[in-house]
Amino acid sequence: MNKQLESLDLETNLGSVTLSNGQSLDIPKLSMLKIIKIVKFLGIDGSRLYNELREVLLDESLEDLEKFAVILESLDEKQLVHIFSIMLELKDDEVLKLDPNEMLEIAIVLVDEMDLKKTYSLIRTLMKKMFNKELPESLGAWFDQMKQNKAKQMEIRQKALAAVQAEQTDGKNS
């Protein structure tokens, strides 16, 4: 029993960030309860969004920057804020009061201190089991897919441009 107690990580915070007003904000660890809340939130509110984003990501007629812009436009600010409020154990309006530098510092603490690969794997598994939604195996795979789509887009555009130029040349020769 003592071995089990000693092996438990009872620290509840990953670190802290000093806010612009001088106060310290503790960054809580991401617990299974929070992961479940986030997955439920994404599964309920984000299911529609996920389907829309998937279509945008696979749309070969859009460049990556255009896809990013479409994705940003389709996101509801309240949804993003709510995910941070779950993670930080704050109310939505408290998260909105943080300045961009504070949010970046919080993100750095989260990235530095969390096993993001394991977390993503857990989220992926929960999405599959709870909502039958298949996320990419890794974020790296998602980025690789984006690069492949970009290469396909360039190839299609080059062929289309060559066809247009050939038509114009044929039209001038007639």
Side-chain angles (χ1 to χ4, degrees):
M1 179 74 159
N2 284 342
K3 269 187 174 181
Q4 289 174 329
L5 286 175
E6 289 173 6
S7 69
L8 290 177
D9 183 4
L10 300 176
E11 180 60 43
T12 58
N13 295 320
L14 295 170
S16 65
V17 169
T18 302
L19 302 177
S20 55
N21 65 6
Q23 293 181 332
S24 179
L25 174 67
D26 289 332
I27 311 301
K29 285 185 175 178
L30 189 61
S31 64
M32 267 315 285
L33 178 60
K34 289 179 189 174
I35 290 174
I36 290 170
K37 284 181 178 182
I38 290 170
V39 170
K40 280 177 55 179
F41 171 73
L42 291 174
I44 295 166
D45 290 354
S47 183
R48 173 198 55 82
L49 183 62
Y50 173 80
N51 290 331
E52 288 175 15
L53 296 180
R54 182 171 171 79
E55 291 174 17
V56 169
L57 292 172
L58 297 176
D59 186 349
E60 294 181 3
S61 68
L62 297 174
E63 292 186 23
D64 290 344
L65 192 55
E66 293 171 314
K67 289 179 184 182
F68 185 68
V70 171
I71 289 169
L72 283 180
E73 187 168 314
S74 66
L75 292 176
D76 182 354
E77 293 82 4
K78 292 177 184 177
Q79 291 172 324
L80 291 173
V81 168
H82 190 64
I83 291 172
F84 278 106
S85 73
I86 292 170
M87 292 175 67
L88 298 174
E89 299 173 0
L90 297 172
K91 294 178 182 171
D92 290 357
D93 62 328
E94 293 172 323
V95 172
L96 285 171
K97 291 178 184 174
L98 297 171
D99 76 32
N101 290 331
E102 292 167 345
M103 285 307 299
L104 287 171
E105 288 182 37
I106 290 167
I108 290 169
V109 169
L110 290 169
V111 169
D112 282 347
E113 300 298 327
M114 289 173 44
D115 184 351
L116 292 176
K117 287 181 182 178
K118 183 176 181 180
T119 302
Y120 182 76
S121 176
L122 290 170
I123 291 170
R124 186 173 181 264
T125 301
L126 279 173
M127 286 293 287
K128 175 75 173 160
K129 289 184 179 193
M130 291 175 74
F131 306 107
N132 201 26
K133 295 286 183 188
E134 192 71 48
L135 296 176
E137 193 168 315
S138 70
L139 291 177
W142 180 73
F143 285 117
D144 288 344
Q145 182 181 12
M146 293 275 292
K147 287 179 189 174
Q148 289 173 356
N149 288 342
K150 176 89 171 171
K152 287 179 187 176
Q153 287 174 6
M154 290 302 292
E155 184 180 331
I156 291 169
R157 284 194 178 120
Q158 288 172 348
K159 287 180 181 177
L161 181 60
V164 168
Q165 288 173 341
E167 279 183 31
Q168 289 175 346
T169 303
D170 288 344
K172 288 180 183 177
N173 292 337
S174 300

